[in-house]
Amino acid sequence: MTVQRTRQGDLELIDVVKSFPQREGSGVVAAVDHVSLAIPSGEFVTLLGPSGCGKTTTLRLIAGFEMPTAGRILLDGKDITHQAPNKRDMAMVFQSYALFPHMTVADNIAYGLQTAGMPRAEIKAKVAAALDLMSLGGLGERRPNELSGGQQQRVALARSLVMEPSVLLFDEPLSNLDAKLRVQMRSEIRGLQRRLGITSVYVTHDQIEAMSMSDRIVVMNAGRIDQIGKPHEIYHRPRTRFVADFIGRANFVETTVEAAAGDRATVTVLGKTVQVPVEQPLSAGTRVTAVLRPEALRLVEDTARCPMTIEQGMYLGAETEYILAGDGQRLVVIESGLSAQRLFAEGQTVCVDFEDEAVHLLPVG
Amino acid sequence: MRGGIVRELAVRRYLNQFRRIFQDPVLAIGLILVTLFLVLAVVWPVLAMVGESMSEAGRPLFARYLTEPTYQTIIRNTVVMGLLVAAVGTALGFLFAYVQVKVQAPFKRLMHFVALVPIISPPFAVATATLTLFGRNGLITKGIFGVRYDIYGLQGLTLVLSLSYFTVAYMNLKGMMQALDPALEEAATNLGANKWRIFRTVTVPMLIPGILGSFLLLFVESIADLGNPLVLGGNFEVLATRIYISVIGLYDTTGAAVLSVILLVPSLIIFVIQRYWIGRMSVVSVTGKPSGTPQMITHPWVRWPLFAVTMGVTLLIILIYATLFVGAFVEVPGVNNSFTLSHFDFVINGYGSEAMTDTTLLSAISTPIAGLLGILIAFLVVRKEFPGRAGLDFAGMLGIAVPGTIIGIGYLLVFNNPLDLTLPFGGENPLTITLIPKLTGGRAVLGGALAIVMVFVIRSIPAALRSGVASLSQIDPAIEEASISLGADNARTFRKITLPLIRPAFLSGLIYAFARSMTSLSAIIFLTTPQTKIMTQQILNETENGRYGNAFAYCVILILIVLVAISVLYLTVGSATGAERTLEGGG
Ligand SMILES: Nc1ncnc2c1ncn2[C@@H]1O[C@H](COP(=O)(O)OP(=O)(O)O)[C@@H](O)[C@H]1O
Ligand SMILES: [Mg+2]
């Protein structure tokens, strides 16, 4: 007979607020401002946003290092808002790795298991397996300061993984590594997480990291959540100008809805009239902002529709980037592939063209 | 409206902080015990002393003491002496530190060790030796120059106290000078400044908080000193000696309490300024690891005069301690210089042996308690958030901020009678529970030893607390959070992670605690009983009765005990775990 074991690691934040007393002065700062978020078991979710937007605070609230000013946090349906951090079935990987400098690598990894009172032999086996898993074989007796940054990062990861927690928490774990190692660790972490199926909350300000690793991305802005979605949704259908601007590069063009029918709206952007899908029905006459990604634009010599002048052209090899000005508007256009090699001269008058699907509309505001 | 919201959030924050502490019972119990101990052992005695001064009999005395010429002179003496010692001591400390850090000179290690010696010697060892050298029958003044120089009074006290206390300024300023980023001076050089200009416009301004802080600390320490003015004051009376005489000679506790408040108020104010205001304006980040190599001063016209003055002071200190050492082996130092071991016999086998064993034993008991409490308070203050955190930190520092005489009198007021609780029921024979037994005076519990241990602990906590705070603030809090995140509670984290990482600070806290206990006098002098004798008090007795040889033998043995204890502590606590190396090596 098999008992259906429910998967662990269902995390939920309900209307969580965390305010700190201002460091200078007597007011308060809302570091986390009414955040609600449900993370199903096994998902890899990234909190993404600029520095100071409250990502770390959110993560520390989940870990229990901070207590929310208001709101609740649930793990597998159980309220853990006021549970002590060491009692939570979670493990955190820190930006600084936070390895215990006075212990060997093996002792670092064994620490949590010893705390839990696991028998020695079992600990030994688990530590050995963890060292193997993270390709740290032979380094068990070293001290952390005898390891390279990448190895320290692996130890930190191994130390958390041996605990087999329901939830793994990461606070910018790769930001101290050099660029090449970062890319490698990115896929390693993601691979491990997939294999082990541990719910993961990952904090970063690096959009590439977020895009490449996450099941879903939570974009935060000044303590609030601006948008939650799959990487593809966040990029192609940003809900706010902030999101569009923060993830990738974007051109913004103000325009007015000319006609609307169901989930489609007709607008004229840069002299081209297009029909675009919209999430909420818009009535004719509404002011909107059209978002156009630079790589979705291309330059044409036919200048009848919306002539603009090339202010600057930068040939980058695989692509060429142009900055255009005209009609009280600045645009960035990135040509890639073969068209990157067809160079336009600075000062030349050109026009931009694009597919209908390249236009995404945002309410003005 | 907004104010209301802010207040509500503040209340909720406090609630959360309480919750956070009580999530972990061990943490909560630790916090409660530490708080109770501080209240019992220092806050209450000090408050009782203040209360006594405000009593019916005390209040009129304030006006009298502040207006009567005799007392005005005493107060003026105290202030003048404090200012002089603070100025000379800070200057000496600066000089030694500057030569140590910035000047290329020979004998620097010797100078360093000599500057540290006062930490391990009884407070007025220097005074007694100075009397032998420069007193009315001084070996140098009378013997060599044939003058009858009167060292008693302000000049003698300034000399002796400056030499005894400049170590504080030296350590303080040396640390800051070493932490000064050489890049700053390099930048100034790059901009065309010469060394003198750099000294004036970069070095000194950066060190001003350290200079001011040392000055104030020395002021507080010197006006609190009791032993030296008793030995060397002559007719020059200061508040500390007058308080002592009021209690011991006149049995006038109320008068002593009033004088104590007059001494306490400026001490506390200056301490608070030093600690909270100057501490904050510090521009040198002592935690930062300076880069580059500091430029040494090699110009002969600067280098050799600085060296000469520093070396001169070094030799003077060596001469003083040599006198003390030699004096312990001669019949009557300076008068009958034939070799004898009778003084050591007196201390080791005779009358003094009791004091020697009592003092060592009580210091040894106090040391680990003070070290652990100090580090625990540091941990709570640096790492935990709870209402009253600043208060706990302040109470922990009271042991050094409050002059010892005042703590001693406070103990007499609070602990001279048992604190009984008579239960309100029981009719004819109500049940009486002794909450706190009689701790001081005749028939005190354990011959007064308990009170003495409490004072030793209270007076030693600040050093451990400060070095703990300094050390903890250099350790990434994430390391402790990692431990918590891996399932360890606060107690396990403290034991397994925090304590090993701050082992060097813990060690220096223990060393300070032991040395301070062995050498403290001003509070203890009120608490010794016929059953419990303390070496410093015996030294004072012998000195006052002119038996310098015995006093010197006591001093030599006391210094030896402290040195042995330091070695033992190094061997037991200091055994390398690699943690300190890792931290220093920048892990
Ligand atoms: N302990 C604290 N006390 C006061 N303010 C804090 C504290 N921790 C964070 N903050 C403030 O909260 C805001 C969010 O911080 P944080 O969560 O660290 O941002 P992020 O990780 O996104 O960079 C910032 O304005 C920060 O200054
Ligand atoms: Mg952060």
Side-chain angles (χ1 to χ4, degrees), chain A residues 60 64 82 96 102 111 115, chain B residues 20 23 476 481 483 492 496:
Chain A
R60 293 172 59 81
H82 297 301
S96 56
H102 57 303
Y111 184 84
T115 304
Chain B
R20 166 52 51 85
Q23 266 177 355
D476 183 0
E481 285 175 353
S483 163
R492 186 174 160 86
K496 291 277 182 186

Side-chain angles (χ1 to χ4, degrees), chain B residues 243-252 525-526:
Chain B
I243 292 169
Y244 172 68
I245 287 159
S246 299
V247 177
I248 298 291
L250 310 171
Y251 302 106
D252 176 12
I525 202 165
F526 300 100

Side-chain angles (χ1 to χ4, degrees), chain B residues 458-471:
Chain B
I458 275 301
R459 304 276 284 166
S460 303
I461 281 178
L465 170 56
R466 284 278 68 81
S467 64
V469 166
S471 177

Side-chain angles (χ1 to χ4, degrees), chain A residues 95-325:
Chain A
Q95 183 172 14
S96 56
Y97 316 140
L99 297 178
F100 308 131
H102 57 303
M103 297 182 188
T104 62
V105 167
D107 288 341
N108 263 280
I109 299 174
Y111 184 84
L113 302 175
Q114 282 165 351
T115 304
M118 186 179 276
R120 265 165 172 246
E122 212 170 317
I123 292 181
K124 221 172 153 195
K126 290 225 172 205
V127 169
L131 285 170
D132 251 14
L133 180 71
M134 299 306 305
S135 349
L136 289 165
L139 300 181
E141 291 315 307
R142 297 261 189 103
R143 302 252 174 191
N145 66 342
E146 296 164 345
L147 301 181
S148 70
Q151 290 168 329
Q152 292 187 31
Q153 172 64 69
R154 284 199 169 84
V155 177
L157 205 55
R159 186 176 67 176
S160 296
L161 284 177
V162 285
M163 298 306 292
E164 296 170 14
S166 303
V167 181
L168 268 175
L169 305 172
F170 299 86
D171 190 1
E172 313 220 10
L174 305 184
S175 59
N176 287 337
L177 299 179
D178 60 50
K180 213 167 157 190
L181 210 50
R182 197 152 46 199
V183 174
Q184 186 191 335
M185 283 307 291
R186 213 150 73 189
S187 56
E188 243 178 83
I189 291 181
R190 179 57 166 147
L192 270 173
Q193 188 271 340
R194 277 232 178 89
R195 195 134 42 95
L196 304 172
I198 304 177
T199 311
S200 300
V201 186
Y202 189 100
V203 161
T204 183
H205 66 265
D206 180 340
Q207 41 153 325
I208 310 278
E209 221 167 279
M211 299 290 275
S212 61
M213 299 175 81
S214 322
D215 291 320
R216 280 192 304 155
I217 296 176
V218 177
V219 185
M220 294 187 68
N221 176 19
R224 294 167 183 275
I225 294 180
D226 257 34
Q227 187 168 1
I228 307 178
K230 296 196 166 68
H232 181 269
E233 291 169 353
I234 299 271
Y235 190 75
H236 286 289
R237 277 178 280 132
R239 286 246 309 275
T240 64
R241 193 173 168 136
F242 172 84
V243 175
D245 210 19
F246 189 74
I247 317 278
R249 300 171 71 181
N251 295 298
F252 299 103
V253 182
E254 305 278 308
T255 181
T256 309
V257 177
E258 287 156 16
D263 58 356
R264 299 215 146 239
T266 309
V267 289
T268 302
V269 179
L270 299 171
K272 182 169 182 175
T273 304
V274 291
Q275 282 221 333
V276 291
V278 290
E279 268 153 40
Q280 288 131 13
L282 291 167
S283 50
T286 314
R287 300 282 301 159
V288 287
T289 303
V291 182
L292 294 130
R293 296 291 181 189
E295 71 277 7
L297 302 179
R298 54 182 186 275
L299 297 186
V300 288
E301 271 159 350
D302 164 25
T303 57
R305 218 168 45 216
C306 171
M308 295 185 93
T309 314
I310 298 182
E311 267 199 347
Q312 200 178 22
M314 278 173 284
Y315 176 66
L316 304 171
E319 53 190 41
T320 307
E321 183 178 321
Y322 296 99
I323 295 173
L324 313 185

Side-chain angles (χ1 to χ4, degrees), chain B residues 396-416:
Chain B
M397 292 305 288
L398 274 182
I400 194 165
V402 177
T405 35
I406 295 177
I407 293 185
I409 296 172
Y411 269 58
L412 290 184
L413 287 169
V414 171
F415 299 121
N416 227 0

